Amino acid sequence: MNPFDYEQATDVAHAVGAVTRNPGAVFLAGGTNLVDHLKLGVSDPELLVDVSRLPLDEVRELPDGVRVGAAVRNSDLAAHPLIRRRFPVLAQALLAGASGQLRNLATTGGNLMQRTRCPYFQDVTTPCNKRRPGAGCSAIGGHHRDAAILGTSQHCVATHPSDMAVAMAALDGVVRVQGDGGERGIPVAEFHRLPGDEPQRDTVLRHGELITAVDLPGTASRSVYRKVRERASYAFALVSVAAVVEVEDGVVREARIALGGVAHKPWRATQAEDALRGAVVGEQVFRDAAEAELAAAAPLAGNAFKVPMARNTLVAALRQLTGGQR
Ligand SMILES: Cc1cc2nc3c(=O)[nH]c(=O)nc-3n(C[C@H](O)[C@H](O)[C@H](O)COP(=O)(O)OP(=O)(O)OC[C@H]3O[C@@H](n4cnc5c(N)ncnc54)[C@H](O)[C@@H]3O)c2cc1C
Ligand code: SF4
């Protein structure tokens, strides 16, 4: 690990100013992703600006929704009564991620910003366009069992690893960020980028912009998160589904769906949502909706299994949410 300076932010303006002024500075929150990258040589910052003790650790009710501070720990968020009651999909997604010890340190802001688990990205001896633009992609011709099947490019096929962000995308969450020039809100579904020809850019955040909160509108009490992984716990998603569905008289009134483990970002399944809205609930409708979404899938040889896996997981989530409803 190379030497670096450390500074504890005293307030939001201090944190934003310190990182904005220094191109070699980064924010540090729980450290569960960043510190690994310092040790592996994936990241080599000059200055760490610690934002974990800023007063951004509150979950509070808004007139129509809930605001989650960027420094709220994943375990506190999963256990919060407002989240458990109003957004079960989010509590389930958080509890499906990492381990208890990691969740006690990991924060909302850091979880959104965590980087891909592509093994070549983490191994600095191998070519990787995300780590070093122009170097090439080792995953395409190599090990790509975990890779993306939707929205890939010839430059990168990595997936975004967060469970929490998938749930927040289905909930129409809005990321609040503070930069040197002021504040802005970015829908979670637009926060992460597809790789295109700039896979080194994971998100639309500008250098120095600090995530201060995520706003979750309304209530989604009929919602679920399903995650398929190699082991029952402590493993990243092969495929996951976050679904929010409202049914009235046997007809789907509203459906909001996001998929995890299939793309460079939480994948909002708008084709499936369109196919579901106004349809009478039933197995064939669910299958048709999943097929509509996955028609654009372009898997590699080693991860083609994710296409039927995503279809079946989505159908199972819809069945679970609508079972017995008329
Ligand atoms: C063994 C292991 C298993 C895991 N399994 C899962 C899993 O199954 N599912 C899952 O979702 N996650 C999993 N994780 C990832 C874990 O959830 C993340 O490491 C964690 O959420 C990152 O949060 P942090 O606060 O520690 O971020 P840090 O490591 O401190 O920071 C991560 C990145 O976010 C940036 N950042 C932090 N806060 C802000 C902010 N407020 N504004 C702007 N940028 C910011 C930092 O600069 C850095 O680039 C796992 C991690 C490990 C080590
Ligand atoms: S998939 Fe992306 S992160 Fe993985 S090796 Fe290729 S460029 Fe790097």
Side-chain angles (χ1 to χ4, degrees), residues 43-320:
S43 180
D44 186 18
E46 278 174 27
L47 169 66
L48 301 188
V49 177
D50 188 342
V51 294
S52 64
R53 292 185 218 174
L54 293 178
L56 300 172
D57 57 352
E58 213 192 350
V59 178
R60 67 180 169 89
E61 243 169 338
L62 301 173
D64 180 29
V66 172
R67 174 161 295 175
V68 179
V72 175
R73 306 285 173 177
N74 284 181
S75 43
D76 293 336
L77 189 57
H80 200 285
L82 275 177
I83 301 300
R84 292 178 57 166
R85 191 172 70 246
R86 293 177 63 159
F87 307 110
V89 61
L90 178 55
Q92 291 165 19
L94 286 157
L95 291 175
S99 64
Q101 292 94 330
L102 284 159
R103 292 194 294 269
N104 286 344
L105 272 179
T107 62
T108 302
N111 192 290
L112 280 171
M113 292 293 288
Q114 66 173 299
R115 307 206 70 192
T116 184
R117 307 304 287 202
C118 174
Y120 303 104
F121 175 71
Q122 303 198 91
D123 177 355
V124 295
T125 65
T126 59
C128 168
N129 286 326
K130 185 178 273 298
R131 211 176 354 84
R132 200 155 61 81
C137 172
S138 299
I140 289 175
H143 177 84
H144 49 249
R145 183 173 158 74
D146 297 328
I149 56 173
L150 288 161
T152 56
S153 79
Q154 58 176 340
H155 302 288
C156 181
V157 292
T159 54
H160 190 265
S162 169
D163 291 294
M164 183 196 79
V166 179
M168 287 179 166
L171 291 170
D172 284 331
V174 176
V175 186
R176 312 262 10 135
V177 307
Q178 179 73 45
D180 226 12
E183 205 201 2
R184 63 180 179 132
I186 308 161
V188 174
E190 292 165 25
F191 184 78
H192 300 96
R193 294 180 68 260
L194 290 178
D197 56 6
E198 286 185 302
Q200 70 277 15
R201 292 178 56 217
D202 294 341
T203 72
V204 299
L205 215 59
R206 301 178 196 122
H207 181 74
E209 278 186 318
L210 177 74
I211 300 169
T212 55
V214 179
D215 288 351
L216 303 171
T219 295
S221 38
R222 189 170 291 280
S223 60
V224 73
Y225 190 72
R226 286 181 84 102
K227 175 174 177 177
V228 184
R229 47 188 157 176
E230 301 281 6
R231 296 183 302 266
S233 72
Y234 201 40
F236 288 91
L238 284 169
V239 160
S240 69
V241 172
V244 182
V245 177
E246 287 167 33
V247 176
E248 213 178 283
D249 299 328
V251 174
V252 179
R253 289 290 166 223
E254 182 55 17
R256 287 180 281 151
I257 297 165
L259 308 179
V262 296
H264 199 251
K265 57 185 287 184
W267 185 267
R268 188 68 189 255
T270 52
Q271 303 292 325
E273 292 173 3
D274 289 347
L276 286 167
R277 260 182 226 113
V280 175
V281 299
E283 194 74 10
Q284 193 55 48
V285 166
F286 299 162
R287 291 203 163 267
D288 290 348
E291 296 294 354
E293 192 61 49
L294 293 160
L300 296 162
N303 69 351
F305 71 94
K306 282 192 175 186
V307 179
M309 184 179 271
R311 183 188 62 228
N312 293 342
T313 311
L314 175 51
V315 170
L318 294 170
R319 202 186 290 134
Q320 182 179 342

